[in-house]
Amino acid sequence: MLNHPTAAVGRQWRSNGEARSLIRRRKESKMKNEASSSNSRDDSVVVDCGRRRSSCGYCKSSGRTSISHGLWAHSITVNDYQDLLDRGWRRSGCFLYKPEMERTCCPSYTIRVKAGDFVPSKDQLRVYRRMDRFLDGTLEVRNPIELGDNPNTSKHTGSLSNHKVSSSAGNVSIFLSNKQENKAEEVIHNLSDQIDKVVHTYIGSGELPSGIQLPKAAVKKVSNAKRKLSVEGSEDLLYSSNIAFQIAATLRRTQSAEDTQQLRMSHSAEENDLSPKSIAEKLTCSLKQLANISGFSIRACNGHINFYSTAKNVSSDADVQNGTLHKELGSGSKSSSANKSSDYPQVQKRKLELRLKRSSFDPEEYALYRRYQMKVHKDTPDRVTESSYKRFLVDTPLLFVSPSADGMVPPCGFGSFHQQYIIDGKLVAVGVIDILPGCLSSKYLFWDPDYAFLSLGKYSALQEIDWVKENQAYSAGLQYYYMGYYIHSCSKMRYKAAYYPSELLCPLRYQWVSFHTARPLLDKKKYVILSDFASLQDVESSKSCVPESVMELQHNDIGLEDTNDAPMDDEEMVEIESESSDDELEPETSGLASATIDDVDLSNVLVGLRGSRLRYKELQRAFGSTEMNYLETRLRSYQRVVGVGLSERMVYSLG
């Protein structure tokens, strides 16, 4: 446990007779009121570590120029952690930290993207296609990797070091031309536009509400692995959209008793269903009647809008489609023959599985992490220990919330998870994530260096964004994808803004401002009160295309992505170890210039002492003036960084 002067105050109170008497009375009262309940670990309990200085892993400064405020969390609810994220906090294991933006050398802005509004760039779509071609066996691999003697039955066993030249897939070179790729992208954009036009027609006719912002349609090309013949047996599924799920989730969030009638898509009781399935059927019907879509047959299927083609011209560059917690891709599918020559030998197909599991230690994951850190980040073996791995990526203070059927919690529940990416039984990547009431928060990704050509950092981010979209049907409040910190002064972190349209958190007022608005400001100054310029967003909000500034970021980061895949590794940069001599703890004596900390009301700050929960006003008479002055200074600093609401919900532990 971290040592801190606040603990001395706790010891002083434990020796104080009046404090002990107060605690005894509180416990007796609590026992009477909660006689039937156990002392469960169901609230947020934190220890204030104060200001911390350390060397900076971003700018590599020689001094202790990275300045943050730290909390050690014994436990924390998912709702409290969501609120902390929205005030600029992050976690490394059980240690929570928030950069002091005015003072630190590299100001770190929390960045997020609304999944329903996400617009993939051409570069990001190419990542999907590259993975699909790799699974189909049509991607040339310069240094092919061995996935096992029998990929259909092999199981991942933790052996991650024997990667040698193997299958004939590496000797086959079948690439789609740029012309074919551009044509596929044009089709996707055209289909998306047609769906959007139908949705706007419903809004104009009053069948959908005009007072809310509905998500834009996103159409994906279906991979060969997931294509299925239609009932007639003569049509191939080429494209699909899940826009009905997103519209249903948006309507459900905004629907209330007084506007139920306004949200109805028809006056028939039978047709008044706002489920994804019903919406997809209505949109499909209108697309057939209104849209100018030639060469496709359109059908609704379980909430999805599917586009079929009777022509056997299926290309092998289709996107991998996401949406479930556990899925299998690329195994046993029929591949198209139009783009493949019979002169080539039979290619080896591969199967990709995504497995979501609760955070726990897994020897195979640790072996992969160790290999990744030493080969990609050049860490020495003594820095990649099992204990440090557990503290960093396994330990979590988040209290797990079980799934529910009330539209509030997704099937996996809320909490900390590891998302495993497994190809033919071999673990190739692990995404460490937190799933919260309002977002999926990406914490870290580590991957097998032999698979760097697949850009697994980008691929996993796209999968996680799609996961948020799909799970809005189960948890209406789950809307955002949080990518950690964006650091404009660090070129390695700039790739995060390529996920458009992203937003940055104002470090003073905690309002969200579009990156497109923030970027020119950050070009001039590292620390900016972004909310002062929020009005500029009104001009940008009407733009539907990806701004050139974002496309420039994607172009400039291509080389970096190829060499390091730019994983979301901000926590690695600031990992805190209590015994480290590279960190120092110091009291914080001043606050933000805009805040007068002497005026704050500390009366209802929740304090924990010897297992009891008391408001600060109940403890004021239990100690002397010296202890009171010191503690009030600490509580003011604590309340400033977490906010009044959280200071009254989370337990400020004194031991």
Side-chain angles (χ1 to χ4, degrees):
M1 175 57 61
L2 299 173
N3 292 320
H4 194 275
T6 305
V9 178
R11 289 193 294 270
Q12 175 68 25
W13 291 347
R14 285 195 291 271
S15 65
N16 184 294
E18 187 172 358
R20 292 199 305 272
S21 177
L22 177 61
I23 291 171
R24 185 174 61 254
R25 292 195 300 270
R26 173 54 65 90
K27 283 187 175 180
E28 291 173 353
S29 175
K30 182 178 181 181
M31 289 175 64
K32 291 179 181 178
N33 295 332
E34 304 176 7
S36 61
S37 65
S38 62
N39 186 18
S40 60
R41 184 173 171 262
D42 58 358
D43 51 10
S44 301
V45 180
V46 299
V47 176
D48 187 11
C49 301
R51 177 184 292 167
R52 300 184 68 87
R53 292 180 179 271
S54 65
S55 58
C56 181
Y58 298 114
C59 64
K60 309 297 183 183
S61 63
S62 57
R64 296 176 179 178
T65 57
S66 178
I67 307 174
S68 63
H69 195 110
L71 297 173
W72 183 268
H74 292 287
S75 61
I76 192 164
T77 67
V78 292
N79 288 294
D80 287 347
Y81 187 56
Q82 176 73 65
D83 289 346
L84 284 171
L85 285 183
D86 292 333
R87 290 185 64 88
W89 289 82
R90 293 285 284 170
R91 75 176 184 89
S92 176
C94 293
F95 185 79
L96 312 179
Y97 58 95
K98 180 184 188 299
E100 292 194 11
M101 300 286 279
E102 286 184 292
R103 298 179 176 86
T104 192
C105 56
C106 296
S108 306
Y109 298 82
T110 300
I111 184 171
R112 72 178 187 181
V113 62
K114 190 171 185 179
D117 294 341
F118 171 64
V119 181
S121 66
K122 290 183 178 181
D123 179 60
Q124 290 159 352
L125 290 173
R126 277 193 289 270
V127 172
Y128 267 137
R129 287 193 293 272
R130 189 183 305 127
M131 175 64 79
D132 186 59
R133 286 153 57 198
F134 176 71
L135 297 176
D136 282 343
T138 60
L139 177 69
E140 180 184 35
V141 183
R142 293 184 180 179
N143 295 308
I145 47 196
E146 184 176 357
L147 296 176
D149 295 333
N150 188 347
N152 294 324
T153 59
S154 62
K155 296 182 179 180
H156 56 293
T157 61
S159 176
L160 300 171
S161 58
N162 298 323
H163 303 299
K164 299 179 181 179
V165 176
S166 60
S167 71
S168 61
N171 300 321
V172 180
S173 175
I174 304 175
F175 288 100
L176 296 176
S177 67
N178 289 334
K179 182 177 181 181
Q180 288 173 308
E181 292 186 4
N182 291 336
K183 182 178 179 180
E185 291 172 2
E186 289 176 4
V187 172
I188 289 172
H189 287 301
N190 178 56
L191 294 178
S192 300
D193 289 342
Q194 295 294 338
I195 295 175
D196 285 335
K197 288 179 181 179
V198 171
V199 172
H200 287 305
T201 300
Y202 275 118
I203 295 175
S205 66
E207 295 179 71
L208 282 175
S210 59
I212 60 175
Q213 183 176 359
L214 295 177
K216 295 181 180 179
V219 174
K220 288 186 177 179
K221 202 168 185 181
V222 181
S223 68
N224 292 337
K226 302 193 79 173
R227 287 176 184 158
K228 298 178 181 178
L229 291 176
S230 65
V231 176
E232 291 81 359
S234 61
E235 297 178 331
D236 284 323
L237 172 61
L238 296 184
Y239 302 92
S240 183
S241 174
N242 65 354
I243 182 63
F245 287 93
Q246 300 173 47
I247 291 177
T250 302
L251 295 179
R252 188 163 52 249
R253 286 193 298 270
T254 57
Q255 189 174 19
S256 60
E258 56 269 23
D259 61 9
T260 299
Q261 182 67 29
Q262 188 179 20
L263 292 176
R264 291 178 180 173
M265 297 189 71
S266 73
H267 297 289
S268 167
E270 181 180 353
E271 296 179 346
N272 191 32
D273 184 9
L274 292 179
S275 67
K277 182 178 180 181
S278 174
I279 294 174
E281 291 172 352
K282 294 176 185 297
L283 293 177
T284 298
C285 181
S286 297
L287 282 169
K288 292 178 179 179
Q289 297 174 356
L290 304 177
N292 181 21
I293 302 177
S294 59
F296 291 100
S297 172
I298 311 172
R299 292 189 183 87
C301 180
N302 296 325
H304 293 271
I305 301 175
N306 293 337
F307 299 87
Y308 299 83
S309 175
T310 55
K312 297 293 183 178
N313 58 353
V314 182
S315 64
S316 63
D317 67 333
D319 294 346
V320 175
Q321 183 152 340
N322 183 42
T324 59
L325 297 176
H326 180 100
K327 61 184 179 180
E328 299 182 359
L329 305 175
S331 176
S333 61
K334 291 186 177 181
S335 59
S336 170
S337 59
N339 292 315
K340 298 176 183 176
S341 170
S342 59
D343 296 333
Y344 288 111
Q346 177 116 16
V347 298
Q348 174 185 336
K349 296 185 180 298
R350 303 178 177 92
K351 179 175 69 176
L352 169 66
E353 297 176 77
L354 268 62
R355 297 178 184 173
L356 189 68
K357 50 173 284 192
R358 293 205 23 211
S359 182
S360 62
F361 179 75
D362 183 327
E364 184 178 9
E365 290 183 355
Y366 168 59
L368 178 59
Y369 169 79
R370 184 177 173 85
R371 185 167 184 264
Y372 166 80
Q373 291 295 134
M374 290 192 294
K375 190 163 184 179
V376 176
H377 291 289
K378 310 303 179 185
D379 283 353
T380 57
D382 61 295
R383 285 185 54 84
V384 195
T385 64
E386 184 176 309
S387 60
S388 66
Y389 167 71
K390 288 179 179 178
R391 288 197 304 271
F392 180 30
L393 296 177
V394 177
D395 294 347
T396 175
L398 294 188
L399 300 174
F400 178 71
V401 177
S402 299
S404 65
D406 58 2
M408 300 297 291
V409 183
C412 63
F414 290 137
S416 298
F417 299 86
H418 286 193
Q419 177 85 297
Q420 295 182 332
Y421 295 77
I422 300 168
I423 296 179
D424 283 354
K426 181 179 289 296
L427 183 68
V428 300
V430 177
V432 182
I433 60 176
D434 292 326
I435 297 177
L436 306 171
C439 73
L440 183 155
S441 175
S442 178
K443 176 173 165 52
Y444 201 73
L445 179 88
F446 53 93
W447 37 267
D448 190 326
D450 286 345
Y451 292 79
F453 63 92
L454 290 176
S455 299
L456 291 171
K458 287 181 178 178
Y459 183 77
S460 65
L462 296 172
Q463 292 284 353
E464 289 164 359
I465 291 173
D466 283 345
W467 185 92
V468 174
K469 291 181 182 178
E470 294 289 342
N471 280 271
Q472 287 179 357
Y474 304 104
S475 180
L478 191 62
Q479 299 185 58
Y480 290 95
Y481 178 60
Y482 282 52
M483 296 174 278
Y485 288 136
Y486 173 82
I487 303 172
H488 195 67
S489 58
C490 178
S491 59
K492 185 178 180 181
M493 291 292 109
R494 289 195 177 192
Y495 78 96
K496 295 182 180 183
Y499 296 87
Y500 178 82
S502 55
E503 300 174 306
L504 300 183
L505 184 67
C506 174
L508 179 62
R509 300 186 184 93
Y510 306 113
Q511 299 174 6
W512 293 95
V513 177
S514 73
F515 172 78
H516 196 53
T517 298
R519 182 180 181 180
L521 305 172
L522 295 173
D523 284 338
K524 299 176 182 178
K525 190 178 179 181
K526 290 195 296 185
Y527 174 75
V528 180
I529 301 176
L530 298 175
S531 56
D532 287 347
F533 305 90
S535 60
L536 299 176
Q537 295 183 105
D538 297 336
V539 178
E540 306 299 338
S541 61
S542 60
K543 298 182 179 181
S544 59
C545 59
V546 179
E548 292 184 3
S549 59
V550 175
M551 297 177 67
E552 178 186 347
L553 280 172
Q554 297 165 352
H555 176 74
N556 290 342
D557 286 343
I558 290 176
L560 177 62
E561 178 71 21
D562 288 342
T563 57
N564 195 27
D565 210 29
M568 296 181 180
D569 56 358
D570 17 279
E571 281 79 357
E572 180 209 27
M573 300 293 188
V574 294
E575 182 179 2
I576 301 296
E577 296 185 20
S578 58
E579 297 83 14
S580 174
S581 61
D582 194 37
D583 301 314
E584 72 175 30
L585 187 64
E586 62 177 37
E588 187 173 0
T589 57
S590 61
L592 292 172
S594 61
T596 305
I597 60 177
D598 289 333
D599 295 338
V600 299
D601 182 9
L602 303 176
S603 300
N604 290 315
V605 174
L606 189 58
V607 177
L609 184 60
R610 299 191 69 182
S612 290
R613 311 289 191 252
L614 304 103
R615 300 296 174 183
Y616 176 64
K617 60 187 176 183
E618 299 175 294
L619 284 172
Q620 284 177 307
R621 68 176 186 272
F623 48 81
S625 59
T626 302
E627 292 82 2
M628 182 182 69
N629 290 336
Y630 174 78
L631 181 60
E632 286 188 355
T633 299
R634 302 297 309 173
L635 290 179
R636 289 192 188 99
S637 172
Y638 166 72
Q639 190 180 73
R640 178 178 61 79
V641 293
V642 304
V644 174
L646 282 169
S647 74
E648 297 177 357
R649 290 204 311 269
M650 298 194 304
V651 179
Y652 183 93
S653 178
L654 293 173

